[in-house]
Amino acid sequence: MSSRFAIILAAGQGTRMKSKLYKVLHPVCGKAMVQHVVDQVNQLGFEEKVTVVGHGAEDVQKQLGDQISYVVQKEQLGTGHAVLQAEPVLSGKSGITIVLCGDTPLITAETIEQLIKTHEQEQAKVTVLTAVAPNPTGYGRVIRGNKGLVERIVEQKDATKEEQLVNEINTGTYCFDNETLFQALAQVGNDNAQGEYYLPDVIEIVQSSGGKVAAYQTESMEETIGVNDRVALSEAETIMKKRINEKWMREGVTIVDPNQTYISSDAKIGQDTVIYPGTMIQGDVIIGENCIIGPNSELKNCQIGNRSNIKQSVIHDSQVGNEVQVGPFAHIRPQSQLHDKVKVGNFVEIKKAKIGYGSKASHLSYIGDADIGEDVNFGCGAITVNYDGHNKFLTKVEDRAFIGCNSNLIAPVTVGADTLIAAGSTITDDVPDRALSIARARQTNKEDYRK
């Protein structure tokens, strides 16, 4: 098999987005467009991957990290000029180079692979990814010869009336013989209205030297959508959301209303889990089997065990065990761990805390910077007072402690095992095992005070 290389074009400013955010970094289903493209490329084992950056180069590099190499297009002089910036990295190498756009987030690894296979089978110098467009207006038309090979690509403004009737369009994704690519790019001129160097001009140069130009027509026009404005971004979001939701429904997940459910492309969901409307699953989320998620819940970068129920709640950057109940209206903040059979009820906030097996905080509590043992009960309104205005301190509550309603545990403090904290107490000192701790003023009644 020939060596494989990939060039991803991500240097355009994207002025039609009318945004301070660099175009290819706009998210689709929670992930930057260019990251979607790179993720698909990463599935195919390319030996060298190069991203061409320009505007917002540092932000793109921060997004993609060291999984890919970078070249800079300092001046925006067209797609041909952009690809030429990769010459120092790829010039002289024998193999196949695929060129993709960083603003095509819907492209799939399967389509890229089929494009490469067609290129190899046809023994072509260039293979164009094409699609059939219901309304091809504005796209370059692919004109094929008698043998089905590409004769030329005609832009809308240059097409004859007969050519404008052709609905097979150029998607802007190409497969090249690598050495042929850079030889042809050296001959591309900029004698056009924009004064730019266009990548499609390589096709005519290759043909004039007797090189074969083939095409692979994808069955999915939607994969080839390039996002240039907010309208196209919304369309891509809708298509991606539908694709992801259908995948999980086929894998045995019940999504009650797919139109009102948003799932990250990086999420993993177990069989027989039910997801109710209004749920947003973002980032790296792992959900076990037989869970109930939603309605109106937000999960981000978290792990949920089997048979857990997350109802109308928010969980970020945390771990939730098996048979856990969260909500309604609970907030699990980052670095929290809820072990098996924990219950976190309505209007409870957990932050950077470990909650042990079978423990409960059923309503109106705040537990932050805490290590809570097994079978602990937090009464209504009980809180850990973890912040003195400058520093955070740890509260430790050991197994089977009972924290009465409206109690304040002033950190740093340890509450021993099998203890009982009387309702309304403010605990400032450690409580030994099996103790009853009362820290409140005695009741005083002032008779006839109202008079």
Short mmCIF file of all heavy atoms in Angstrom, two decimals, residues 344-372:
data_model
loop_
_atom_site.label_atom_id
_atom_site.label_comp_id
_atom_site.label_asym_id
_atom_site.label_seq_id
_atom_site.Cartn_x
_atom_site.Cartn_y
_atom_site.Cartn_z
N VAL A 344 -28.59 12.11 45.69
CA VAL A 344 -28.42 13.55 45.76
C VAL A 344 -29.72 14.17 45.28
O VAL A 344 -30.07 14.05 44.10
CB VAL A 344 -27.23 14.02 44.90
CG1 VAL A 344 -27.14 15.54 44.90
CG2 VAL A 344 -25.94 13.41 45.39
N GLY A 345 -30.46 14.79 46.17
CA GLY A 345 -31.82 15.22 45.84
C GLY A 345 -31.92 16.63 45.31
O GLY A 345 -30.95 17.22 44.83
N ASN A 346 -33.12 17.20 45.42
CA ASN A 346 -33.41 18.48 44.81
C ASN A 346 -32.69 19.64 45.50
O ASN A 346 -32.59 19.70 46.72
CB ASN A 346 -34.92 18.74 44.79
CG ASN A 346 -35.56 18.54 46.14
OD1 ASN A 346 -35.58 17.44 46.67
ND2 ASN A 346 -36.08 19.62 46.71
N PHE A 347 -32.13 20.50 44.66
CA PHE A 347 -31.43 21.71 45.10
C PHE A 347 -30.25 21.39 46.03
O PHE A 347 -30.00 22.08 47.03
CB PHE A 347 -32.40 22.70 45.76
CG PHE A 347 -33.54 23.08 44.87
CD1 PHE A 347 -34.80 22.56 45.07
CD2 PHE A 347 -33.33 23.91 43.78
CE1 PHE A 347 -35.85 22.88 44.23
CE2 PHE A 347 -34.38 24.25 42.93
CZ PHE A 347 -35.64 23.72 43.15
N VAL A 348 -29.52 20.33 45.68
CA VAL A 348 -28.29 19.99 46.38
C VAL A 348 -27.12 20.27 45.44
O VAL A 348 -27.17 19.95 44.26
CB VAL A 348 -28.27 18.50 46.79
CG1 VAL A 348 -26.92 18.11 47.37
CG2 VAL A 348 -29.38 18.23 47.82
N GLU A 349 -26.07 20.88 45.98
CA GLU A 349 -24.88 21.18 45.21
C GLU A 349 -23.69 20.43 45.81
O GLU A 349 -23.44 20.49 47.02
CB GLU A 349 -24.60 22.69 45.22
CG GLU A 349 -23.38 23.09 44.39
CD GLU A 349 -23.18 24.59 44.36
OE1 GLU A 349 -24.06 25.32 44.84
OE2 GLU A 349 -22.12 25.03 43.86
N ILE A 350 -22.98 19.70 44.92
CA ILE A 350 -21.79 18.95 45.32
C ILE A 350 -20.60 19.53 44.57
O ILE A 350 -20.67 19.70 43.36
CB ILE A 350 -21.92 17.45 44.99
CG1 ILE A 350 -23.24 16.88 45.51
CG2 ILE A 350 -20.72 16.68 45.50
CD1 ILE A 350 -23.32 16.76 47.00
N LYS A 351 -19.51 19.82 45.28
CA LYS A 351 -18.33 20.37 44.62
C LYS A 351 -17.07 19.75 45.20
O LYS A 351 -16.82 19.81 46.40
CB LYS A 351 -18.29 21.90 44.79
CG LYS A 351 -17.27 22.62 43.90
CD LYS A 351 -15.87 22.70 44.48
CE LYS A 351 -15.80 23.58 45.71
NZ LYS A 351 -14.36 23.73 46.17
N LYS A 352 -16.26 19.12 44.32
CA LYS A 352 -14.98 18.56 44.73
C LYS A 352 -15.13 17.74 46.01
O LYS A 352 -14.39 17.90 46.98
CB LYS A 352 -13.94 19.68 44.92
CG LYS A 352 -12.49 19.20 44.88
CD LYS A 352 -11.54 20.36 45.02
CE LYS A 352 -10.09 19.89 44.98
NZ LYS A 352 -9.14 21.03 45.13
N ALA A 353 -16.10 16.82 45.97
CA ALA A 353 -16.39 16.01 47.15
C ALA A 353 -16.54 14.55 46.77
O ALA A 353 -16.99 14.22 45.67
CB ALA A 353 -17.67 16.51 47.82
N LYS A 354 -16.16 13.67 47.69
CA LYS A 354 -16.38 12.24 47.55
C LYS A 354 -17.54 11.85 48.46
O LYS A 354 -17.50 12.13 49.68
CB LYS A 354 -15.13 11.45 47.94
CG LYS A 354 -13.92 11.72 47.05
CD LYS A 354 -12.72 10.93 47.55
CE LYS A 354 -11.48 11.21 46.71
NZ LYS A 354 -10.29 10.47 47.21
N ILE A 355 -18.55 11.22 47.88
CA ILE A 355 -19.72 10.80 48.64
C ILE A 355 -19.74 9.27 48.64
O ILE A 355 -19.84 8.65 47.59
CB ILE A 355 -21.03 11.35 48.05
CG1 ILE A 355 -20.90 12.85 47.74
CG2 ILE A 355 -22.20 11.06 48.97
CD1 ILE A 355 -20.71 13.72 48.95
N GLY A 356 -19.63 8.65 49.81
CA GLY A 356 -19.47 7.21 49.91
C GLY A 356 -20.75 6.43 49.64
O GLY A 356 -21.86 6.98 49.56
N TYR A 357 -20.59 5.12 49.55
CA TYR A 357 -21.66 4.19 49.21
C TYR A 357 -22.90 4.42 50.09
O TYR A 357 -22.82 4.47 51.31
CB TYR A 357 -21.17 2.75 49.41
CG TYR A 357 -22.20 1.68 49.16
CD1 TYR A 357 -22.28 1.04 47.93
CD2 TYR A 357 -23.08 1.29 50.16
CE1 TYR A 357 -23.21 0.05 47.69
CE2 TYR A 357 -24.02 0.30 49.94
CZ TYR A 357 -24.08 -0.32 48.71
OH TYR A 357 -25.02 -1.30 48.49
N GLY A 358 -24.05 4.58 49.42
CA GLY A 358 -25.33 4.65 50.11
C GLY A 358 -25.61 5.92 50.87
O GLY A 358 -26.64 6.04 51.54
N SER A 359 -24.74 6.91 50.77
CA SER A 359 -24.99 8.16 51.49
C SER A 359 -26.03 9.01 50.78
O SER A 359 -26.24 8.89 49.57
CB SER A 359 -23.68 8.94 51.66
OG SER A 359 -22.81 8.25 52.53
N LYS A 360 -26.67 9.91 51.56
CA LYS A 360 -27.79 10.68 51.02
C LYS A 360 -27.68 12.15 51.42
O LYS A 360 -27.33 12.47 52.56
CB LYS A 360 -29.12 10.13 51.54
CG LYS A 360 -29.39 8.68 51.15
CD LYS A 360 -30.69 8.18 51.78
CE LYS A 360 -30.94 6.73 51.42
NZ LYS A 360 -32.18 6.21 52.04
N ALA A 361 -27.99 12.99 50.48
CA ALA A 361 -28.23 14.41 50.75
C ALA A 361 -29.49 14.74 49.95
O ALA A 361 -29.42 15.03 48.77
CB ALA A 361 -27.05 15.25 50.32
N SER A 362 -30.62 14.63 50.59
CA SER A 362 -31.88 14.59 49.85
C SER A 362 -32.39 15.95 49.41
O SER A 362 -33.12 16.03 48.43
CB SER A 362 -32.96 13.90 50.70
OG SER A 362 -32.61 12.54 50.89
N HIS A 363 -32.01 17.02 50.10
CA HIS A 363 -32.54 18.31 49.67
C HIS A 363 -31.81 19.48 50.34
O HIS A 363 -31.45 19.44 51.50
CB HIS A 363 -34.05 18.44 49.95
CG HIS A 363 -34.52 17.68 51.13
ND1 HIS A 363 -35.64 16.88 51.10
CD2 HIS A 363 -34.03 17.55 52.39
CE1 HIS A 363 -35.82 16.32 52.27
NE2 HIS A 363 -34.85 16.70 53.07
N LEU A 364 -31.61 20.52 49.51
CA LEU A 364 -31.20 21.84 49.99
C LEU A 364 -29.90 21.84 50.78
O LEU A 364 -29.76 22.49 51.81
CB LEU A 364 -32.31 22.47 50.83
CG LEU A 364 -33.64 22.70 50.08
CD1 LEU A 364 -34.78 22.92 51.05
CD2 LEU A 364 -33.51 23.87 49.13
N SER A 365 -28.90 21.08 50.30
CA SER A 365 -27.61 21.04 50.97
C SER A 365 -26.49 21.47 50.04
O SER A 365 -26.61 21.37 48.82
CB SER A 365 -27.31 19.61 51.47
OG SER A 365 -28.16 19.26 52.54
N TYR A 366 -25.39 21.94 50.65
CA TYR A 366 -24.16 22.20 49.91
C TYR A 366 -23.05 21.38 50.54
O TYR A 366 -22.79 21.49 51.75
CB TYR A 366 -23.78 23.69 49.94
CG TYR A 366 -22.39 23.93 49.39
CD1 TYR A 366 -22.13 23.82 48.03
CD2 TYR A 366 -21.33 24.22 50.25
CE1 TYR A 366 -20.84 23.99 47.54
CE2 TYR A 366 -20.04 24.40 49.77
CZ TYR A 366 -19.80 24.29 48.40
OH TYR A 366 -18.54 24.45 47.91
N ILE A 367 -22.38 20.54 49.71
CA ILE A 367 -21.27 19.72 50.19
C ILE A 367 -20.09 20.01 49.28
O ILE A 367 -20.04 19.56 48.13
CB ILE A 367 -21.64 18.22 50.16
CG1 ILE A 367 -22.91 17.96 50.99
CG2 ILE A 367 -20.48 17.39 50.67
CD1 ILE A 367 -23.42 16.55 50.90
N GLY A 368 -19.13 20.77 49.79
CA GLY A 368 -17.97 21.16 48.99
C GLY A 368 -16.68 20.85 49.71
O GLY A 368 -16.59 20.98 50.94
N ASP A 369 -15.66 20.42 48.96
CA ASP A 369 -14.36 20.09 49.52
C ASP A 369 -14.54 19.14 50.71
O ASP A 369 -14.13 19.43 51.84
CB ASP A 369 -13.61 21.35 49.95
CG ASP A 369 -13.27 22.23 48.78
OD1 ASP A 369 -12.31 21.92 48.06
OD2 ASP A 369 -14.00 23.22 48.56
N ALA A 370 -15.16 18.00 50.43
CA ALA A 370 -15.52 17.09 51.51
C ALA A 370 -15.23 15.64 51.15
O ALA A 370 -15.22 15.26 49.97
CB ALA A 370 -17.00 17.25 51.85
N ASP A 371 -14.98 14.84 52.19
CA ASP A 371 -14.81 13.40 52.06
C ASP A 371 -15.86 12.76 52.95
O ASP A 371 -15.73 12.74 54.19
CB ASP A 371 -13.40 13.00 52.49
CG ASP A 371 -13.09 11.53 52.22
OD1 ASP A 371 -14.02 10.78 51.86
OD2 ASP A 371 -11.91 11.15 52.37
N ILE A 372 -16.93 12.25 52.33
CA ILE A 372 -18.08 11.74 53.06
C ILE A 372 -18.06 10.21 53.00
O ILE A 372 -17.93 9.63 51.92
CB ILE A 372 -19.40 12.27 52.47
CG1 ILE A 372 -19.35 13.80 52.31
CG2 ILE A 372 -20.59 11.84 53.31
CD1 ILE A 372 -19.10 14.56 53.59
#
